Amino acid sequence: MSYRVRFVNPQEHYRRLKAEIDHAIIDTLTKGDLVYRGQLAEFERELAAFVGTRHAVGVASGYHALHLSLVAAGIGPGDEVITAGHTFVATVSAIVHAGATPILVDIASDYNIDVEQLKSAVTPKTKAIIPVHLNGRVSGMDVVNEVANEFGLAVIEDAAQALGATFGGRGAGSIGTTGCFSFYPFKILGGIGDGGAVTTDDDDIARRISLLRYNGEDRETGEYHGHGYTALLDNVGAAVLSVKLKHVRSWIEHRRAIAAAYRERLTGVGDLRLPHFDEDNQRDIFQNYVIRTSQRDPLRAHLDTAGVETLIHWQKPMWRHAGLELDDPGLAETEAVCREVISLPMSAETSFEDVAATAMAIAEYFA
Ligand SMILES: *Cc1c(COP(=O)(O)O)cnc(C)c1O
């Protein structure tokens, strides 16, 4: 089906940046800089400066950023790691592959972990909390850090959807022990394939992750300091990410303007609940524009017919996928959200005409 309003538009995204991206790729290939070269180090410096940390370490994906953060923090079998029940499966897979047990906590009305329920999830086995900054909104990091300090826990921010978002003026990924980013093509800073990074102020953790991503090898000495992984951020990919990082501030401004336009047109329509939770200390970047309604499925069918492409994150909670072998933690809000949310078109290429057409089709449905 061809949509008149597309959810994202990677061809248009490339068209706008073609000259810069082509130059970065050709220059890198011409120099023969394929693996672990200067372009990677340069992107890491730029990313660390953007996020506000001493280090950024480029890895193969957001999943690897999470997994290597857990391994570097010494988390393994017998340990428990607390995270949100409503997240992308990779957050939980990283915990499982580290050998630890995921403890899922329900979410609050802003779709992020309900920090009021954090403390009661802590047991003597708890070693870390992974707050997930979903849809481009930072979790309640004041409470997360308070609980972590009280019980001596590591805080691994899943900031895969929140590059550039802030809490109390601090950047997502700079508030916990480590921050984990994804450069999956449809994240706000999207690469030409999979990619990710860990940000941290901790020199020791940065070094451990640098070793782990390169099979445990110290490049200077050739010494293997432990069994690691083949999980580097690809060098050509890093060169392209450097190009795109320069545009992220303006993309964030655009996303905020698009969100404001949705808000203006959709306030008071049907039973819609809109994602405007902005307080002075929390600045969202709207990775996703998620609305909530009891009419989700028929509304989505109507939008489809009207030529508006939408997406659902996610159709059912993780524990309802038998293959994941997770116990049902009984999280009522996560269950409800999976039935009621729908994501509207939102990207750097989404236009105000797209918003108008989408809002019109939504109003039509509720009329
Ligand atoms: C995208 C994403 C990840 C994983 O990133 P990949 O690069 O796809 O491995 C983890 N957590 C959240 C919340 C994400 O959105």
Side-chain angles (χ1 to χ4, degrees):
M1 147 129 212
S2 92
Y3 292 97
R4 72 192 163 110
V5 181
R6 292 176 60 178
F7 190 72
V8 289
N9 191 340
Q11 295 93 337
E12 174 62 15
H13 183 78
Y14 173 56
R15 196 192 62 74
R16 293 184 189 182
L17 300 172
K18 184 172 172 12
E20 290 175 84
I21 290 177
D22 288 359
H23 174 77
I25 292 174
I26 291 167
D27 183 57
T28 308
L29 291 178
T30 303
K31 290 175 176 153
D33 288 344
L34 301 184
V35 179
Y36 213 152
R37 305 301 290 263
Q39 294 85 348
L40 174 60
E42 193 178 323
F43 170 65
E44 290 172 337
R45 275 193 299 277
E46 293 163 356
L47 182 68
F50 186 98
V51 170
T53 51
R54 287 168 52 78
H55 306 280
V57 183
V59 295
S61 71
Y63 161 79
H64 286 89
L66 291 158
H67 180 242
L68 298 184
S69 289
L70 289 163
V71 174
I75 288 157
D79 298 334
E80 290 179 356
V81 177
I82 297 170
T83 193
H86 190 60
T87 183
F88 181 52
V89 67
T91 317
V92 173
S93 299
I95 299 169
V96 170
H97 287 316
T101 304
I103 303 298
L104 303 180
V105 168
D106 214 353
I107 51 172
S109 58
D110 68 352
Y111 310 119
N112 279 336
I113 194 163
D114 183 356
V115 292
E116 301 298 321
Q117 299 184 39
L118 257 187
K119 218 165 158 166
S120 57
V122 176
T123 76
K125 293 179 176 175
T126 309
K127 289 287 159 57
I129 306 172
I130 305 184
V132 181
H133 307 328
L134 208 67
N135 302 322
R137 176 179 175 78
V138 182
S139 306
M141 291 303 292
D142 45 357
V143 179
V144 170
N145 279 342
E146 224 174 83
V147 173
N149 289 338
E150 182 177 343
F151 297 97
L153 313 175
V155 174
I156 296 167
E157 296 177 67
D158 183 340
Q161 299 192 5
L163 180 65
T166 57
F167 186 96
R170 298 177 70 186
S174 76
I175 312 167
T177 318
T178 67
C180 300
F181 292 95
S182 165
F183 310 124
Y184 176 76
F186 299 105
K187 300 293 162 83
I188 186 152
L189 175 60
I192 52 174
D194 281 318
V198 179
T199 51
T200 184
D201 284 328
D202 187 314
D203 299 346
D204 191 45
I205 286 183
R207 174 169 161 77
R208 265 184 266 169
I209 291 173
S210 290
L211 293 170
L212 284 167
R213 69 176 175 171
Y214 199 61
N215 301 100
E217 182 184 354
D218 182 332
R219 282 184 98 202
E220 311 279 298
T221 63
E223 182 73 15
Y224 292 99
H225 290 277
H227 292 283
Y229 305 83
T230 305
L232 271 176
L233 176 62
D234 165 78
N235 201 73
V236 177
V240 174
L241 288 168
S242 280
V243 166
K244 292 206 194 183
L245 184 59
K246 295 178 180 64
H247 297 274
V248 167
R249 297 265 179 230
S250 75
W251 291 339
I252 290 172
E253 286 319 305
H254 180 73
R255 283 170 182 268
R256 285 179 178 152
I258 291 291
Y262 274 129
R263 176 188 216 163
E264 196 180 312
R265 289 174 180 273
L266 295 176
T267 297
V269 174
D271 68 344
L272 293 185
R273 281 190 265 175
L274 306 178
H276 295 276
F277 318 104
D278 253 356
E279 295 125 38
D280 284 333
N281 69 331
Q282 250 152 314
R283 293 276 285 145
D284 298 23
I285 57 126
F286 295 101
Q287 165 70 49
N288 302 309
Y289 194 84
V290 176
I291 61 172
R292 190 169 172 180
T293 166
S294 63
Q295 306 291 304
R296 195 268 305 276
D297 291 331
L299 172 63
R300 185 167 198 227
H302 176 83
L303 289 174
D304 207 63
T305 309
V308 176
E309 187 178 17
T310 59
L311 221 66
I312 293 174
H313 310 90
W314 293 271
Q315 295 274 1
K316 60 181 181 181
M318 248 176 290
W319 53 89
R320 301 206 177 276
H321 297 261
L324 296 178
E325 299 181 22
L326 299 167
D327 294 334
D328 183 345
L331 308 183
E333 189 66 3
T334 298
E335 296 270 3
V337 159
C338 287
R339 285 191 302 268
E340 296 178 356
V341 290
I342 176 169
S343 300
L344 303 183
M346 170 62 87
S347 73
E349 292 71 39
T350 302
S351 68
F352 294 97
E353 291 73 31
D354 291 338
V355 172
T358 302
M360 190 107 73
I362 293 173
E364 233 170 63
Y365 171 82
F366 283 105

